[in-house]
Amino acid sequence: MTEDFLIEIGCEELPPKALETLATALVTSLTNQLQQAGIQHGAVRSFASPRHIGAMVSALEAKQSDQIIERKGPPLASAFDAEGKPTQACLGFARSCNIDVDQLEQLETEKGTRLVFKQQQAGLPTPSLLPDMMIKALNQLPIPKPMRWGNLTTEFVRPVHWLVMLWGNDIIPCEILGQQASNITYGHRFLAPEPLVIAHPSHYENLLREQGSVIANFTQRKEIIKQQIEAQATKLNAVATIDPSLLNEVTGIVEWPVALSVPFDENFLDVPAEALITSMQYHQKCFPMTNHEGQLLPHFVTISNIESNNPTQVIKGNERVMDARLADAKFFFETDSKQTLASYQERLKHVLFKEKLGTLYDKSQRIATLAAYIATQLQADVSQAEQAGHLCKADLMSDMVGEFPELQGVMGYYYAKDLPRDVALTMKEHYLPKFSGDDLPSTPTSCAVAIADRIDTIVGIFGINQPPSGEKDPFALRRAALGILRIIIEKQLDLDLLELLHEGYSHYHELANENTVQDCFAFILERFRSWYQEQGIPSDVFAAVMALRPTRPLDFQHRINAVNEFRQLPEAQALAAANKRVSKLLIKEGKEDISRDIQASLFENEDEKQLSKLILDKREQVAPLYQKADYTLALTTLASLRTPVDRFFDNVMVMVDNPEIRNNRLALLANLRDLFLYVADISELQ
Amino acid sequence: MSNDPSQTFQGMIQTLEQYWSQQGCMIMQPLDLEVGAGTFHPATFLRSIGPEPWHSAFVQPSRRPTDGRYGENPNRTQHYYQYQVVLKPSPTNIQDLYLDSLRALGIDPLTDDIRFVEDNWESPTLGAWGLGWEIWQNGMEITQFTYFQQVGGLPCKPVTGELTYGLERIALYLQGKDNFFDLVWAHTPEGTMTYGDVFQQNEREMSAYNFEHADVPFLFQTFDHCEQQCKKLLELNLPLPAYEHVLKASHMFNLLDARHAISVTERQGYLLRVRSLAKQVAQRYYESREALGFPMLKTDNR
C-alpha cells in the first residue's frame, strides 16, 4: 500500500539566494533517508517560495520493508576451544541474544570470521518514521546563517510560523521547530491571508495556486517570471536582459509574480550604460531592456509580488525610485568627469594594498614598470603599457566606483577616453579574465598590464609568506595564476615566467620569503595541472612535461601537445618503457652525469652500432626541429627508434664486467634519453 | 486635519507614535547626542543586552556627515529622521504589527507592492549583527527590519526585533512629493511650513562645516579624549556615561571621515577602537544589570 506525503514549513521571508539550495537539500536528505530505511517511493517534488518550503513524495510505501538486524559477536577463533566446544565468550553472546549457540551464523569481516546474530525485524509504518527523518533533514540544511527569534532557543533560517505534515488525508502528529503539525497552510501574505486546509498532499500545489495566490514550485515560478519579462519586452519591441542569477534571486523574493514595465527619464542615458544596468540589476533587482541593436532603452521590468488594484501607482513608485537612483549615478559621473584619471592616482597613496606591500599607489608603480618590461618582450608599445599600468587602479578613487564597486575598471575606461585607445581599454581589460571561461584582454597593452598586475600580487603575497593553503585563498591567487597562464598561452605570448617573477620580485624591497620566486614559479606551474586535467589531457602527459619544468608557458603548451600526440603512436609505449628502463639504470649506477662521448671502437655488437648511428642521425634531424620548437614532428621522428631500441635491449648486455664497455653502453643510452628529454621526460608515460 | 499622515510630516510621526503606543510601547524621546541611527540610542543598543524585556518607540534625529549634499540633492541629507521601534522579545506577530502600522499610515499592501527583501545588518562599530529585511514599497526601501542576534559582542537572549522607518522617504510617498525639502511639515497660522523651511539652510551650513571647516586636530584630539574617558568610566563601573563617550567618539570619527582626514588604511583601525569600547560597555552594562538582579524581569521569567 502506498500513500502521498507532504511536508511544508511556513516561514517569514526566506533568503532568496539560498532558497533553491535549501529546498534541494531538504529533498536530497529526505530521499536518502527513505532509501536507507528501505522505503520505496514515487516522484518527489520540492517547493520553495519566500514563505513556503517543503516537499511532496508521491506513492510512498506505507510500511518499511522488513529489516535484518545484525549483531556481531566474538571472532570465530576465540568462540570455540580446541575441542570445538563453545567458550564463555561465545555462550555469553548467545545468551545476550536470547538464542542457542547453534543459531549463530558466521560473518566474514576484515578482521577475520566472526559470529553473528541475524534477526529479521518487521518494518515500521512509514508515518512513524517521517518526523525523525524530517528533523534530521532540517538539521542537515546548509543554512548560511541560522537565527533565533523571540525568546525561543530554536534556530532556523527565518522564524517559523506553521508546519504541515500530511500522510494522505491524515496529519502526522509531531512537533518540529516549535510547531505542531497540522493540515493548514497560508497563502500570499496580502492576497490570501486566511488559513487553507489541505485535504490531501496531491491537492497542495493547486490549492496554493488557485486559492492561495502562491506558485510554490521554484522552477515553475521562475519560468513564469521569465515569460512575463519577455512579454513586457515584446510589447515595447525591446529585448530584456535577463541575468540568470538575478532571475533566481527575484524568483526567491516573490510568490505571485506580476511583471510591470516602468519608464525612466531618458536623460539618464548619458550616463555609462554599465552604471545604469548595475543600478537596475543590483540595487533595484530589475531587468534592463535594450533595442534590437543592444542599446539601452529608458525602460525596465520589475517583478512585483502583487496583483495590485492600482498598478499605475506601483509603476509610478518604481519610476520615482529609479530616477532618484540614476540621478545619484549621473551626479557621481559628472563630478568624476570634471577630474582627470591621473588626478585620482595621487589619492591611491592613502590606500593600503596590503600590509608590508605598500599602498595601491606603490602597486600601480610596480605594475607600470613590470608592464613596460613585458611590453618590451612583446615588442609592444612600451610607453602605453607603462601609462596604462600607472593609471589602472586610479578609478578606485572615483565617486562612481565608491558607489558602485562592481564598476571598477569600467569607469576607468570611460574616464580614460581622451587617452590612447589601448590605454583606455586596459583600464577595464586588465581585470580579465575574471572567472573561468571569461574573455581575455584584447590588446598587447592590456595583456601586459593584466599579467603584470597578477605577477605583482602573487609575488607580494608569497613574499610575505601568506600563500594559499587548502581551501583558503583569500587573495584569489589561484585564479590569478590561471589568468596569467591563459593569457600567455591563448594569446601566444612568448614570455618566460621565471624571468617575469624575478623582475616582479626586484620591484619589492625586503620581502620576508627568500624563496619567493621559486615558490611562485612552482605554484603557477602547479595550476597547469588542474587546467590540463579539465582539458582532458592525461595526467602522465602532464607529468612528462612538468618533469622538465619549462619556464615559458607557451613552450610548456607546445610540449604538452607534442607528447599528447606522441602518446597515441603505436611506438609510444615501448619507447616510454625503454626510457624508464634507461632512467632507472642510470640512476641506479649513479651515472646520470656520465660523459656522453661514445667510442665506436668499443662496440661489440651490431645492434649497438646500429642504435648509435641512428641516434646520431636523429640528433641531426631533430636539432632544427627543436630550434623551431616543433616538438610534435621531433617526437614523431624519434618514434622510429622503437625497433632498434628494442633490439638493443634484446641483444646487448649493458652491465658487463668490462668497465669501459659498460660505460660506453651507458653513455649510448644516456644519449638516447637526452634526445627525448629535449621535449619531455617520456619515461613518465604509462 | 493636522494629524492626517498623508498631509503633514508631523501628522505622520503622530500616527506612528499613536499606533505603537497602542501596541504597548513606551514612547521615548530622541537621544540628545549626535548619532548616525536610532540603533545607537541607549533604548536600542543597551536595552537589547541581557534578559530584560523592552518595548519602546521613538523618533531619532540621525546625522551622517558624509551624506551631506549642501541641501541640493532631493533625497540625501546629512541630518534626517528615523522612527525606531524596539520589541524585546520580538513578538511572533511582529511582521503583522509592522504591516498594520503601514496601514495606519495609509499604505495599502493590496495596492502597493510591499516586499521583504533580505538584508542582513551588521554594525562594525557596535559589534552587532542581525538578520532581516529591507521593506520595499514599490521598489523603495522604507524600513529596515532586523532580528538582533548579537550586540556589543554578546548574544541576544531574548532576541530584540528592531524596526527602523525612514520617515522622509515614507512622507515623500504619502504626500506625493519628489523632494525632501518640499515635504509639508505643518500648517501654521502663517501658512504651510515645509521640510525645506526648517532644514535647507541647516543642510547647507552643516555640509560646509562637515566637509570644509570641522577642525581636524580638535576632532582627533576629542576622539582620543573620548576613548580615554570611556575607559576610565568603565573602570569606575559607570557604563552609561562610558557609552555616551562611545557615541561621541563615533561621531568624531564620522566627521573626520567627512573631512577625508582618515586614510582608507587607517579607517579600519579607528573602527576597531570604537568597537572595542562598545564591546566593553556592553559587557559592563550587562554586569551592572545582573548586579541589580535584572529588575525589569518578572519573577516568573527570572
Side-chain angles (χ1 to χ4, degrees):
Chain A
M1 200 193 82
T2 67
E3 193 50 274
D4 294 346
F5 165 65
L6 173 73
I7 172 160
E8 184 210 39
I9 300 156
C11 298
E12 296 181 8
E13 283 75 357
L14 295 160
K17 288 181 192 164
L19 187 55
E20 201 182 9
T21 316
L22 291 172
T24 310
L26 186 73
V27 166
T28 309
S29 171
L30 176 58
T31 48
N32 284 346
Q33 291 186 68
L34 288 171
Q35 192 190 1
Q36 278 164 22
I39 304 173
Q40 303 287 323
H41 59 82
V44 181
R45 208 165 156 75
S46 76
F47 306 109
S49 79
R51 297 171 68 220
H52 304 80
I53 185 163
M56 185 180 88
V57 186
S58 307
L60 191 54
E61 285 287 341
K63 198 171 130 306
Q64 190 183 24
S65 56
D66 290 349
Q67 304 288 299
I68 305 283
I69 308 293
E70 231 179 49
R71 225 183 112 191
K72 290 194 188 97
L76 190 60
S78 60
F80 299 97
D81 62 19
E83 293 157 24
K85 285 187 181 158
T87 61
Q88 275 309 315
C90 179
L91 291 168
F93 177 65
R95 208 162 34 241
S96 74
C97 300
N98 266 329
I99 52 164
D100 295 330
V101 171
D102 56 12
Q103 286 174 278
L104 288 171
E105 295 176 42
Q106 294 184 7
L107 179 75
E108 298 302 326
T109 73
E110 282 174 16
K111 293 175 190 162
T113 311
R114 295 178 67 168
L115 289 183
V116 66
F117 169 54
K118 286 187 186 165
Q119 188 186 33
Q120 185 151 342
Q121 197 177 69
L124 296 168
T126 303
S128 73
L129 296 170
L130 286 167
D132 282 346
M133 287 186 182
M134 289 324 307
I135 289 169
K136 191 170 169 195
L138 291 168
N139 282 335
Q140 288 173 342
L141 285 190
I143 301 175
K145 275 187 180 174
M147 66 168 282
R148 290 174 291 105
W149 60 93
N151 47 19
L152 307 175
T153 49
T154 313
E155 287 197 355
F156 198 55
V157 197
R158 285 293 180 272
V160 179
H161 282 266
W162 71 83
L163 168 72
V164 174
M165 287 279 281
L166 207 51
W167 175 258
N169 300 315
D170 302 325
I171 297 165
I172 302 176
C174 61
E175 186 189 304
I176 297 176
L177 294 169
Q179 297 295 326
Q180 288 295 332
S182 80
N183 57 355
I184 293 171
T185 185
Y186 296 84
H188 189 279
R189 191 183 271 293
F190 306 118
L191 294 171
E194 297 306 318
L196 298 169
V197 177
I198 311 163
H200 189 270
S202 61
H203 301 179
Y204 171 74
E205 217 176 329
N206 272 334
L207 178 75
L208 267 188
R209 186 168 48 235
E210 305 301 329
Q211 291 177 48
S213 295
V214 171
I215 314 282
N217 182 272
F218 192 91
T219 316
Q220 196 182 5
R221 202 166 62 252
K222 182 157 91 176
E223 194 48 41
I224 291 172
I225 293 173
K226 191 158 170 272
Q227 285 168 9
Q228 288 188 5
I229 298 170
E230 279 161 359
Q232 292 291 335
T234 308
K235 267 198 235 167
L236 290 163
N237 191 26
V239 183
T241 306
I242 304 179
D243 176 69
S245 68
L246 179 63
L247 180 62
N248 260 337
E249 188 182 353
V250 169
T251 307
I253 300 178
V254 296
E255 305 206 302
W256 192 250
V258 178
L260 297 168
S261 158
V262 183
F264 64 83
D265 186 342
E266 62 181 24
N267 285 322
F268 294 126
L269 292 175
D270 299 343
V271 180
E274 289 91 336
L276 301 180
I277 292 171
T278 303
S279 266
M280 284 184 243
Q281 293 184 329
Y282 184 76
H283 295 287
Q284 293 302 127
K285 306 188 195 305
C286 294
F287 299 88
M289 287 199 275
T290 65
N291 63 18
H292 290 276
E293 285 73 51
Q295 280 167 322
L296 205 59
L297 295 174
H299 288 277
F300 60 90
V301 177
T302 184
I303 306 299
S304 68
N305 187 32
I306 191 98
E307 201 118 36
S308 169
N309 49 33
N310 185 1
T312 316
Q313 184 162 318
V314 180
I315 291 171
K316 278 274 161 217
N318 276 282
E319 184 181 345
R320 195 180 290 146
V321 181
M322 188 63 81
D323 280 348
R325 281 245 185 239
L326 300 186
D328 246 11
K330 191 173 161 73
F331 171 78
F332 290 133
F333 181 63
E334 284 168 358
T335 318
D336 285 348
S337 301
K338 288 175 192 154
Q339 302 188 49
T340 62
L341 200 50
S343 70
Y344 287 112
Q345 203 205 340
E346 277 298 300
R347 294 200 216 156
L348 292 173
K349 287 181 179 167
H350 303 292
V351 187
L352 202 60
F353 163 49
K354 172 86 185 113
E355 223 178 327
K356 295 183 201 149
L357 300 179
T359 64
L360 277 180
Y361 182 86
D362 299 329
K363 182 175 174 62
S364 56
Q365 300 283 97
R366 291 192 302 261
I367 294 175
T369 319
L370 191 52
Y373 170 85
I374 296 170
T376 312
Q377 310 267 309
L378 299 178
Q379 294 174 328
D381 188 321
V382 175
S383 69
Q384 282 195 3
E386 193 170 6
Q387 186 184 19
H390 275 299
L391 293 174
C392 69
K393 303 298 176 194
D395 73 342
L396 295 177
M397 295 288 94
S398 68
D399 281 356
M400 201 70 163
V401 176
E403 193 68 12
F404 305 103
E406 55 277 66
L407 292 182
Q408 64 174 19
V410 173
M411 294 324 299
Y413 167 71
Y414 283 100
Y415 298 150
K417 278 256 160 115
D418 295 338
L419 302 175
R421 179 183 159 274
D422 283 8
V423 174
L425 269 181
T426 302
M427 299 302 104
K428 59 176 172 186
E429 288 192 351
H430 84 280
Y431 287 110
L432 300 178
K434 290 179 188 170
F435 47 86
S436 136
D438 194 13
D439 291 340
L440 295 180
S442 68
T443 73
T445 304
S446 46
C447 287
V449 175
I451 295 170
D453 185 12
R454 289 167 173 82
I455 292 276
D456 181 73
T457 302
I458 294 174
V459 168
I461 302 295
F462 270 82
I464 55 170
N465 290 312
Q466 296 185 22
S469 67
E471 290 293 293
K472 283 189 190 148
D473 182 8
F475 306 99
L477 298 189
R478 294 194 180 108
R479 199 172 64 203
L482 208 52
I484 294 171
L485 295 177
R486 269 198 65 199
I487 296 170
I488 292 182
I489 289 174
E490 292 179 31
K491 294 285 165 185
Q492 311 225 341
L493 308 181
D494 189 19
L495 290 171
D496 187 308
L497 190 59
L498 200 55
E499 282 173 16
L500 289 181
L501 291 167
H502 275 295
E503 183 67 18
Y505 182 73
S506 73
H507 302 314
Y508 277 105
H509 305 289
E510 294 171 18
L511 286 175
N513 177 4
E514 288 172 5
N515 270 328
T516 298
V517 170
Q518 285 306 327
D519 288 354
C520 292
F521 182 60
F523 170 73
I524 298 176
L525 281 191
E526 200 50 38
R527 289 301 98 206
F528 259 139
R529 186 188 302 277
S530 50
W531 197 41
Y532 285 125
Q533 210 165 14
E534 271 173 35
Q535 294 182 9
I537 302 285
S539 60
D540 56 349
V541 172
F542 172 78
V545 177
M546 182 71 169
L548 268 59
R549 297 169 68 84
T551 58
R552 292 176 177 267
L554 193 56
D555 182 58
F556 200 113
Q557 169 77 8
H558 292 327
R559 290 168 193 266
I560 289 279
N561 290 341
V563 176
N564 201 31
E565 281 192 34
F566 174 75
R567 192 174 181 274
Q568 331 273 339
L569 299 178
E571 296 89 349
Q573 211 182 349
L575 283 170
N579 265 277
K580 204 169 293 174
R581 194 165 167 183
V582 173
S583 167
K584 276 187 187 156
L585 196 58
L586 291 174
I587 291 169
K588 191 176 152 217
E589 297 301 313
K591 297 285 188 189
E592 289 164 282
D593 297 330
I594 194 171
S595 157
R596 264 49 173 177
D597 291 340
I598 300 167
Q599 317 250 346
S601 57
L602 289 171
F603 286 144
E604 295 177 327
N605 177 308
E606 201 50 40
D607 288 322
E608 61 181 325
K609 268 184 215 158
Q610 183 64 22
L611 182 60
S612 169
K613 180 178 171 301
L614 276 172
I615 286 175
L616 288 176
D617 289 352
K618 292 287 178 196
R619 190 183 290 159
E620 263 170 47
Q621 282 174 38
V622 296
L625 298 175
Y626 289 143
Q627 285 279 316
K628 291 189 293 183
D630 192 344
Y631 302 121
T632 309
L633 190 53
L635 283 184
T636 317
T637 309
L638 296 182
S640 63
L641 284 170
R642 182 210 161 150
T643 313
V645 168
D646 282 352
R647 211 174 285 148
F648 175 89
F649 278 119
D650 286 346
N651 302 327
V652 181
M653 168 87 170
V654 178
M655 301 311 287
V656 290
D657 289 339
N658 180 333
E660 280 191 319
I661 294 178
R662 187 173 67 217
N663 282 340
N664 198 46
R665 287 177 181 162
L666 286 171
L668 176 66
L669 291 176
N671 273 291
L672 171 72
R673 185 151 164 70
D674 287 351
L675 267 183
F676 286 93
L677 276 177
Y678 274 113
V679 182
D681 184 354
I682 67 156
S683 74
E684 293 280 350
L685 294 182
Q686 301 300 320
Chain B
M1 219 173 70
S2 68
N3 65 350
D4 178 343
S6 69
Q7 297 298 312
T8 64
F9 193 64
Q10 67 189 34
M12 184 181 84
I13 293 173
Q14 282 164 359
T15 304
L16 286 172
E17 300 273 52
Q18 196 183 358
Y19 175 82
W20 285 108
S21 172
Q22 282 164 357
Q23 307 310 322
C25 283
M26 286 183 286
I27 303 301
M28 306 279 295
Q29 301 305 322
L31 180 66
D32 56 344
L33 291 174
E34 301 102 325
V35 290
T39 310
F40 288 81
H41 195 306
T44 305
F45 179 78
L46 293 177
R47 295 297 180 178
S48 59
I49 294 166
E52 295 169 283
W54 185 255
H55 300 87
S56 73
F58 51 92
V59 175
Q60 180 60 52
S62 305
R63 297 198 190 207
R64 297 194 178 170
T66 48
D67 279 354
R69 295 290 182 271
Y70 295 82
E72 285 167 12
N73 187 299
N75 49 20
R76 263 205 187 187
T77 52
Q78 53 85 45
H79 174 281
Y80 63 100
Y81 288 105
Q82 290 187 341
Y83 197 84
Q84 176 86 352
V85 180
V86 186
L87 304 175
K88 176 189 179 187
S90 63
T92 308
N93 62 343
I94 184 168
Q95 285 187 314
D96 294 328
L97 290 177
Y98 167 73
L99 291 167
D100 281 342
S101 77
L102 294 187
R103 292 183 181 102
L105 289 171
I107 295 172
D108 178 4
L110 287 171
T111 303
D112 289 324
D113 177 31
I114 305 293
R115 281 190 264 165
F116 288 72
V117 179
E118 183 192 18
D119 182 41
N120 300 328
W121 169 81
E122 188 174 4
S123 165
T125 43
L126 291 179
W129 68 274
L131 299 178
W133 310 274
E134 292 175 351
I135 317 298
W136 284 17
Q137 177 205 20
N138 302 333
M140 176 167 68
E141 181 195 350
I142 53 169
T143 306
Q144 279 182 4
F145 190 137
T146 309
Y147 288 103
F148 285 176
Q149 301 294 301
Q150 202 181 67
V151 162
L154 303 173
C156 296
K157 288 181 181 176
V159 167
T160 296
E162 183 204 50
L163 303 169
T164 306
Y165 299 73
L167 289 178
E168 289 84 353
R169 288 175 172 209
I170 299 174
L172 283 184
Y173 166 79
L174 292 175
Q175 297 188 22
K177 298 276 167 48
D178 291 326
N179 188 326
F180 280 10
F181 298 108
D182 295 337
L183 290 171
V184 174
W185 189 291
H187 300 292
T188 73
E190 311 306 324
T192 297
M193 299 295 282
T194 66
Y195 195 92
D197 292 332
V198 184
F199 277 120
Q200 197 138 23
Q201 182 183 354
N202 183 64
E203 278 304 308
R204 204 157 44 230
E205 293 189 11
M206 289 308 294
S207 295
Y209 168 74
N210 295 336
F211 289 130
E212 301 164 43
H213 305 297
D215 185 62
V216 170
F218 175 77
L219 296 175
F220 273 123
Q221 211 179 319
T222 312
F223 183 95
D224 290 343
H225 179 75
C226 290
E227 185 183 38
Q228 265 169 28
Q229 288 299 302
C230 178
K231 287 178 181 163
K232 184 180 143 191
L233 291 161
L234 282 168
E235 277 167 25
L236 294 169
N237 211 12
L238 295 169
L240 297 179
Y243 182 58
E244 291 204 345
H245 283 79
V246 175
L247 299 181
K248 289 180 192 191
S250 173
H251 185 59
M252 292 303 116
F253 169 80
N254 290 341
L255 283 172
L256 286 163
D257 207 20
R259 293 285 278 122
H260 289 294
I262 298 179
S263 74
V264 184
T265 320
E266 297 164 311
R267 215 166 174 277
Q268 190 60 14
Y270 277 91
L271 287 174
L272 287 176
R273 281 166 72 184
V274 180
R275 174 156 74 199
S276 154
L277 296 177
K279 281 189 166 181
Q280 293 171 57
V281 167
Q283 182 61 37
R284 198 52 59 83
Y285 175 77
Y286 180 89
E287 288 161 10
S288 69
R289 299 301 296 178
E290 191 176 35
L292 293 172
F294 295 123
M296 298 198 305
L297 262 190
K298 290 203 192 89
T299 346
D300 51 344
N301 290 342
R302 206 170 293 190

